[in-house]
Each structure stands twice: as structure tokens, then as C-alpha cells.
Amino acid sequence: WGRSGDKGDMANIGLICRDPKFYPVILKEVTEERVARHFRHLLRGSVTRYELPGVSAVNFLLTRSLGGGGLASLNIDRQGKTYAQVLLSMHIRVPASALSSSKL
């Protein structure tokens, strides 16, 4: 699952694993560097990842990614509401062993 939003010119993206066994895969595959590359067409700042192991989730903060934010932005999505869906479209490698008994 993913949720996203904004605070000024910063986008906030949360990814939550449907099954905790995928959390190590997310940590390995969804890095700050890969997220920055995936959002290179929107990102003018940095990406910081915050790990939330208790709920098998990660949160990303993308600075200078909303074209000024709010009414200052000419972006179609000024509040970053679609950013989680953009991140969910990023391809990652999942071991076959993790897929065999998935709850997905």
C-alpha cells in the first residue's frame, strides 16, 4: 500500500507492506538512490528514507519536489497526492521464495 501528501515543497510517501515478510525486500530494493532516480523528472532536492519496522513500512521525504508547493506550483499534482502511485510503479526484484507463500 502507499500513501502520499505534501508539506510545502516537500512530498511525503509512505509504503506499507501487505505482508511483513516483504519488508526486507522493500528495504533492499527501495533505496533513497532508486527513489531519487525514479522521481528525477520531479525532484530538485534530496530523498530521505525513514524505516518503520514495527509496522513493516518505510517513509520517504522528497525535498523540492512539488515545484514550489501549493498555489506556487504549476505542477498538475501540487500536493503530491499521486506520488505514492508513481513509487508503486517502480520495478523491484522479489525472490521467488518470498512469492511462493504470499498472502497477496
Side-chain angles (χ1 to χ4, degrees):
W1 292 299
R3 295 277 299 174
S4 57
D6 72 303
K7 209 37 127 178
D9 195 19
M10 295 182 286
N12 183 37
I13 307 170
L15 292 181
I16 307 154
C17 296
R18 291 178 185 236
D19 187 323
K21 74 177 176 184
F22 290 109
Y23 188 60
V25 175
I26 296 298
L27 293 179
K28 180 180 178 193
E29 294 288 321
V30 189
T31 64
E32 292 171 339
E33 294 79 17
R34 290 200 63 207
V35 171
R37 243 188 348 266
H38 195 68
F39 281 90
R40 66 183 169 268
H41 62 294
L42 297 167
L43 184 67
R44 301 293 174 259
S46 61
V47 174
T48 304
R49 181 176 80 177
Y50 298 92
E51 299 174 9
L52 304 156
V55 292
S56 301
V58 290
N59 188 68
F60 290 92
L61 184 65
L62 285 66
T63 64
R64 297 180 50 221
S65 60
L66 294 171
L71 297 176
S73 176
L74 296 176
N75 289 0
I76 292 174
D77 182 6
R78 297 186 283 210
Q79 284 86 31
K81 300 297 184 190
T82 61
Y83 282 32
Q85 191 61 42
V86 172
L87 186 53
L88 288 171
S89 74
M90 186 173 83
H91 294 267
I92 64 170
R93 294 174 191 227
V94 179
S97 60
L99 296 174
S100 61
S101 62
S102 172
K103 295 178 188 176
L104 297 177

